[in-house]
Amino acid sequence: MTQPKKKKTAQVAVYVPLRQLFSYSFKSEDEANLVPGVRVVVPFRNRENVGVFVGFGETDIETKDIKAVLDVTPIFNAHLMKLALWAADYYIAAPGELLRGIGPREELKKRVVYKKTGAQPGRLREDKKKILDAVKESLGAQTLAVKCGLTITELDKAAKSLVKSGLLEKREEYYLSGSELADKEKDEIVREKIINPATYTAEQNAAIEKIAKDIEVKNGAITLLEGKTGSGKTEVYISLCKKVLAAGGGTILLVPEIALTYQFVRRFRARFPGDIAVLHSGLTPARRREEWRRISDGRARVVIGARSAIFAPMENLRLIVVDEEHDGSYKQSESPHYNARDLAVVLGGLTGAAVVLGSATPSLESYYNAQIGKYALCRLTQRIDNRPMPAVRIVEEDENGERLLPPAVIEKIMERKDRGEQSLIFINRRGAASRVKCRICKEVVGCPNCSVSLTYHSNGAKLLCHYCGYQIPVPKVCPACKAKELFNYRGTGTQKVEEFLRGVMSKAVIERLDQDTAPSREKAFGILERFEKGETEVLVGTQMTAKGHDFANLTFTAIVSADDYLSFPDFRSAERTFGLVTQAAGRTGRGEKGGEVIISGATGHYAIRHAVRHDYQAFYADEIMARKSTGYPPFSRLIGIMFDAIDEVRLKAAMLKLAHEMPLLPPGVEPLGPVEALIYKIRNRYRWKMMLRGKNSKALHEAALRIEAAVDKNIGISIDVDPYGFL
Ligand code: ADP
Ligand code: ZN
C-alpha cells in the first residue's frame, strides 16, 4: 500500500484554552518568515485568531492556510518558547493560552493597504497620479486618504481604476495593536541613601564567589541561599547582579508579591537606576507592553517581578534569583497552574543561567534537594549587625473564647503604644473551618493518613479528612491522651479582633490588613505605607502582612491562635506556620530598640517550638520525618483534580461512580479521594476533589488524563500539578 503523501505544515499554538497545537498549511512566500516565536493569524472555527508559530511538522490531513505572519522577529525568543512549551506540557495547560498570558496585551486588527505593483503608468489623470505618488511603495488606506485630502470612500473610488489597470494592489493586512503609555513617564527616580557595604562578611563572600563562578561557566547550577532576615541575602543578590550587568548579561529577580515588597524594588531601583523593569499582573496593558519592549530590546537588564516575570523576554540571561523561595504565591492558583520557583530551576537548565533560591525558611523540597546534593547550599548564619533575634514567648489562650486576645498580648500592645512604638497582630482569618480539639493535651484530632486535621461536619457529626476522604464519627475520647475533654473549636478572625481592640483602646490608631480591607494592591500598599511611616500604632492582619517589610519602629508582634495555622488541613501547614512565626519574628525589632514576639494558642507542636528558637535545621529534621512517614512531598509528587458542577446531586453521583469505577491507573499512582472539597461551594458551584500521589510525574500525568476522560462531560474539571493548599 502506498503511503498518502505528507505535506509540510506549520504547528501553531493558537490563543485558545485547548491543550494542543494545531496544524496549518502556508503560502510559500510565508515560509521564510516562519521562525519559532513569531505570531501568526490563523482561521480557527470560522474566526480569525492569533497564535504562535512553534515549528514545522507533517501531515496528510487537510489543513487551512496561515493568513498572515505578524512579527518580523520572534516576540518569544528561543529559550522562552522552550520554557513555555515545557510548562504547558508539565502543568497540563493549553500552550496557546499560556503564551497569550505571558506576552504583551495586544489586539488583532485589520486594515486596507495599497501597494505599488511596479508596472509603469501611462498618462494619468492628475488626481490618480497624486494617489500613485503618495503611495510610494505601500501605504495604509487611512494615511493615504489623509495625504491626498480625500475621504475613504473617495479614495476607494479613485483607486479602483488604478487597481484595475494593474498599477496598484489593494489588500487587507493584519496587525497587532496595543495601548501606548499616555505620558512617557520615566523610571521613577529613587532618592534613597545607598549604603554599599564596605566589606562583605566571610559568609557573604563565600556565597558571592561560589555563585559568581556558576555565572561565569554558565552551568545552570542552583544554589539555595539560606539566611535569616537581616543576614545580608539582598546584598548578595545586588553584588551578583552587578557582576552580571558588567558582563553584559541579564538578571531576573522574582519576589512573591510586588505590592508587598515595594521596599525591595525601591532598593534595586536606587542601585541600578534605569536598568530595572518591573513586571507583575497589576500593570496596565500599556505599561506592561512598554516594560516588555524595554526588556526585549535590551534597555532594561534587570527584571524584578512576581511569578509571571519568569517569562520575561530577557536575552543573554545569566542570573535568576527567587527571593523567599518557599512562598506559596509563586504557584499560580488558576490555570496555567505553574510554579515560578520550579520554572526558575528549569530555565537555569535551558539557559545556563545561575539560579539562586533565597529564604530564611526554605521549602522542604528545596532544602531536601540541597541535602541530597541536587542544589548547593550557602548559609548566612549571622545577622549583619549582630542584632539579636527578638525574644519569642508562648502564652496560653483562653479556650472558652471569652476573650479574643490573651491578657499578655493586650498588655504589650498598650505598653508599646505608650512608648510610641508599634505592634503587629497576626490572625489567620480562615479560622472558619471547625475542628475537634482536646482541652487536656491540646491536640487537634487529625487524619492518620495525612497528618492534617480532620474537619468537623455537623450534619451527621462526623470528622472528615479533606485530603484522602478518611472519615470517623466524632470520637468520645481524645485519640492522643484518652481524656474525655474534647470540644468543637473554631478560630477567630481579624475583624473581630480589630473591633475588640478598638473597644479596649479607644485612642489608638488601629488598622486592619486583609482581603476585605485591601482587595487591591493599592489599598494594601497604602495601609503598609502608613504603618511604615508610623501613622498607625497597631496593625491587625493576615499573613499578607508578614511579607518582605522592614518596619523600624515595630517592636511587638503577636501571633494569635497559632494552632489555627497548624491544624489547617494541608500537609504543608507545619511548614507554613514555622515560616510565618520566623518571618514575623524577623521583622520585629529591626531598629535599635529590640523586639518581642508572643505566640498564643499554640500546642507543644515542633513547628512552634523550633520557631521560638529560630532553629530551621531542627524544624527541618522533624518535618522531613513527618513527610517521610506520611509519604507527602518531597517523598512523592501530587496532582490535584478539582471537579465542580451546579447540580450537587449529579456531581455526587459522578464522584461515587468514579470512586467505584476508577479507571486503571499506571502502576505507582495512588488515588486519594474523591472527597468533598473543604470549600464545598463557590459561586454556586459544588466542588469535589481528589489527589493523585506517586513518584513518577509521567505516570501521574497519564493517570490524571485517564480520570478526566472517565468523568461525565457535564462536570467541570481542573487539573493542578504540584498543588499548593489544594483544599
Ligand atoms: P536580608 O536580605 O537577608 O534580609 P539584607 O541584605 O537586607 O538582608 O541586609 C540587612 C541589612 O544589613 C541591610 O540594611 C543591608 O544594607 C545591611 N548589610 C548587608 N550586608 C552588609 C555588609 N556586608 N556590611 C554592612 N551592612 C550590610
Ligand atoms: Zn487523610
Side-chain angles (χ1 to χ4, degrees):
M1 215 173 83
T2 52
Q3 291 287 324
K5 200 167 150 335
K6 297 208 170 180
K7 65 175 179 215
K8 193 171 179 183
T9 55
Q11 301 286 101
V12 177
V14 183
Y15 284 1
V16 290
L18 295 170
R19 293 194 307 244
Q20 64 179 104
L21 299 176
F22 295 88
S23 294
Y24 288 91
S25 37
F26 46 85
K27 298 187 202 78
S28 56
E29 75 234 41
D30 280 338
E31 177 159 0
N33 301 325
L34 288 171
V35 182
V38 297
R39 288 168 295 182
V40 294
V41 183
V42 293
F44 191 86
R45 292 192 181 148
N46 302 324
R47 290 193 41 203
E48 286 148 356
N49 212 328
V50 180
V52 178
F53 173 70
V54 170
F56 290 107
E58 268 190 348
T59 186
D60 47 23
I61 59 167
E62 205 182 308
T63 49
K64 288 183 180 147
D65 267 359
I66 284 180
K67 294 197 156 190
V69 181
L70 292 165
D71 297 307
V72 180
T73 52
I75 74 149
F76 302 107
N77 64 29
H79 78 249
L80 199 44
M81 285 302 286
K82 278 192 199 145
L83 182 70
L85 294 174
W86 187 94
D89 179 52
Y90 181 79
Y91 292 104
I92 315 184
E97 195 175 41
L98 194 146
L99 284 163
R100 178 177 53 190
I102 65 177
R105 310 273 173 271
E106 290 174 333
E107 249 183 276
L108 183 62
K109 299 237 167 90
K110 228 191 226 178
R111 69 178 160 209
V112 174
V113 175
Y114 287 99
K115 192 171 183 252
K116 266 191 190 160
T117 57
Q120 283 307 314
R123 280 192 49 217
L124 284 175
R125 247 171 52 196
E126 197 50 39
D127 60 334
K128 305 241 156 103
K129 189 168 179 315
K130 194 173 165 195
I131 293 173
L132 204 58
D133 287 345
V135 169
K136 294 218 169 75
E137 277 172 23
S138 79
L139 199 61
Q142 285 288 355
T143 325
L144 184 58
V146 172
K147 244 182 155 175
C148 301
L150 302 170
T151 66
I152 278 286
T153 337
E154 286 164 356
L155 172 67
D156 239 23
K157 225 163 140 188
K160 213 169 202 164
S161 71
L162 287 170
V163 172
K164 215 167 169 187
S165 52
L167 292 170
L168 273 187
E169 206 184 311
K170 180 184 179 182
R171 57 160 88 156
E172 284 193 319
E173 209 176 76
Y174 295 94
Y175 67 105
L176 288 163
S177 110
S179 34
E180 297 286 341
L181 280 181
D183 41 358
K184 283 269 172 242
E185 50 181 304
K186 293 250 170 55
D187 249 11
E188 141 193 24
I189 306 289
V190 177
R191 303 209 180 284
E192 194 145 305
K193 216 165 57 194
I194 302 173
I195 316 160
N196 283 310
T199 52
Y200 292 110
T201 64
E203 288 178 329
Q204 279 176 318
N205 265 327
I208 292 168
E209 271 170 32
K210 194 277 166 199
I211 300 160
K213 179 116 317 123
D214 294 335
I215 292 169
E216 208 181 300
V217 300
K218 304 187 186 178
N219 57 2
I222 304 142
T223 304
L224 178 60
L225 183 64
E226 184 213 340
K228 294 186 171 85
T229 315
S231 63
K233 296 185 295 298
T234 308
E235 285 303 329
V236 171
Y237 308 154
I238 289 172
S239 162
L240 293 168
C241 207
K242 269 191 200 151
K243 287 184 198 293
V244 167
L245 214 54
T251 298
I252 295 178
L253 249 153
L254 299 185
V255 291
E257 246 287 8
I258 277 286
L260 303 179
T261 45
Y262 62 92
Q263 289 175 333
F264 189 92
V265 176
R266 219 158 57 191
R267 201 160 147 193
F268 271 82
R269 277 205 205 278
R271 295 294 182 93
F272 303 99
D275 289 318
I276 305 279
V278 177
L279 280 182
H280 58 86
S281 58
L283 297 179
T284 62
R287 172 49 83 184
R288 186 181 167 78
R289 196 156 169 248
E290 173 64 12
E291 294 296 74
W292 178 277
R293 280 192 209 142
R294 288 180 61 233
I295 300 163
S296 59
D297 66 20
R299 276 176 289 160
R301 302 300 290 148
V302 182
V303 175
I304 303 183
R307 59 181 176 251
S308 67
I310 195 62
F311 294 109
M314 178 71 82
E315 298 292 341
N316 192 14
L317 180 65
R318 304 290 295 275
L319 174 67
I320 310 165
V321 175
V322 185
D323 191 38
E324 313 283 359
E325 68 85 29
H326 61 275
D327 198 291
S329 65
Y330 286 122
K331 170 78 180 172
Q332 179 144 292
S333 55
E334 62 273 12
S335 175
H337 293 278
Y338 65 86
N339 185 321
R341 190 263 324 271
D342 298 341
L343 286 183
V345 170
V346 174
L347 187 55
L350 290 173
T351 58
V355 181
V356 180
L357 309 178
S359 178
T361 56
S363 63
L364 265 270
E365 288 89 337
S366 294
Y367 206 78
Y368 179 73
N369 281 332
Q371 294 294 308
I372 62 173
K374 248 168 113 173
Y375 300 171
L377 179 64
C378 289
R379 297 184 63 205
L380 305 179
T381 55
Q382 301 299 317
R383 273 184 151 185
I384 289 297
D385 45 13
N386 284 317
R387 238 182 306 118
M389 292 294 277
V392 182
R393 190 148 64 93
I394 303 177
V395 301
E396 281 301 316
E397 206 156 86
D398 178 11
E399 294 287 10
N400 300 317
E402 278 161 24
R403 274 190 300 259
L404 281 165
L405 291 175
V409 169
I410 300 167
E411 219 170 84
K412 287 288 170 196
I413 298 174
M414 291 184 162
E415 178 191 301
R416 300 297 147 146
K417 178 186 153 38
D418 290 343
R419 295 213 305 238
E421 295 167 15
Q422 293 168 291
S423 304
L424 185 56
I425 317 299
F426 282 109
I427 294 133
N428 176 13
R429 101 195 176 85
R430 291 159 118 181
S434 213
R435 284 146 330 241
V436 168
K437 184 172 171 174
C438 173
R439 217 181 287 278
I440 304 300
C441 75
K442 315 255 189 272
E443 283 287 321
V444 172
V445 180
C447 173
N449 309 322
C450 300
S451 80
V452 305
S453 63
L454 297 176
T455 305
Y456 175 73
H457 286 238
S458 53
N459 56 335
K462 63 183 179 189
L463 294 179
L464 181 65
C465 172
H466 282 282
Y467 256 61
C468 69
Y470 173 85
Q471 97 176 51
I472 50 170
V474 176
K476 300 256 180 320
V477 299
C478 169
C481 76
K482 311 295 172 213
K484 290 185 181 161
E485 303 273 333
L486 288 168
F487 65 103
N488 287 346
Y489 173 79
R490 189 180 262 277
T492 176
T494 40
Q495 195 184 347
K496 271 203 233 163
V497 167
E498 184 199 6
E499 277 165 18
F500 171 79
L501 279 176
R502 284 189 196 285
V504 295
M505 309 172 62
S506 53
K507 292 224 172 60
V509 185
I510 300 170
E511 275 209 85
R512 170 159 65 98
L513 177 59
D514 58 25
Q515 289 296 331
D516 299 327
T517 63
S520 69
R521 288 186 167 78
E522 290 68 37
K523 287 264 167 59
F525 184 90
I527 294 172
L528 288 167
E529 206 171 36
R530 284 194 289 282
F531 194 64
E532 187 192 347
K533 286 186 187 147
E535 292 166 19
T536 317
E537 290 165 308
V538 184
L539 182 61
V540 179
T542 52
Q543 271 115 308
M544 67 199 283
T545 323
K547 284 180 191 169
H549 296 279
D550 205 345
F551 304 117
N553 198 34
L554 169 67
T555 58
F556 174 65
T557 298
I559 298 164
V560 180
S561 299
D563 33 7
D564 262 12
Y565 300 96
L566 278 170
S567 58
F568 208 60
D570 177 359
F571 73 92
R572 287 195 178 91
S573 65
E575 178 179 342
R576 250 207 315 264
T577 307
F578 180 84
L580 173 69
V581 175
T582 309
Q583 278 219 349
R587 306 265 164 237
T588 311
R590 293 197 75 175
E592 318 285 66
K593 295 159 193 149
E596 256 182 292
V597 176
I598 290 182
I599 304 169
S600 81
T603 58
H605 196 286
Y606 58 83
I608 302 287
R609 242 176 32 237
H610 297 315
V612 165
R613 298 199 337 275
H614 316 290
D615 191 346
Y616 178 78
Q617 265 70 28
F619 169 72
Y620 175 80
D622 277 344
E623 179 65 8
I624 202 77
M625 294 282 284
R627 298 282 178 91
K628 195 162 196 170
S629 69
T630 50
Y632 278 109
F635 297 99
S636 65
R637 290 166 176 274
L638 299 172
I639 288 185
I641 308 179
M642 190 66 78
F643 306 91
D644 69 334
I646 289 179
D647 187 336
E648 183 180 13
V649 178
R650 175 183 266 173
L651 177 63
K652 186 170 181 181
M655 293 298 102
L656 294 181
K657 181 164 176 276
L658 175 65
H660 287 119
E661 300 165 22
M662 189 60 70
L664 180 72
L665 302 181
V669 177
E670 176 194 3
L672 306 171
V675 56
E676 288 173 20
L678 180 64
I679 308 164
Y680 182 47
K681 191 176 171 187
I682 295 181
R683 278 175 240 108
N684 284 322
R685 291 185 77 89
Y686 293 90
R687 303 161 81 236
W688 281 61
K689 62 162 202 177
M690 70 178 297
M691 290 243 248
L692 301 172
R693 184 161 67 174
K695 289 197 196 304
N696 181 320
S697 65
K698 285 228 159 52
L700 285 167
H701 194 128
E702 175 59 30
L705 297 184
R706 284 187 201 170
I707 288 170
E708 181 185 50
V711 172
D712 183 354
K713 295 291 163 282
N714 295 314
I715 307 287
I717 292 190
S718 104
I719 300 175
D720 188 349
V721 178
D722 302 335
Y724 258 71
F726 191 71
L727 306 166

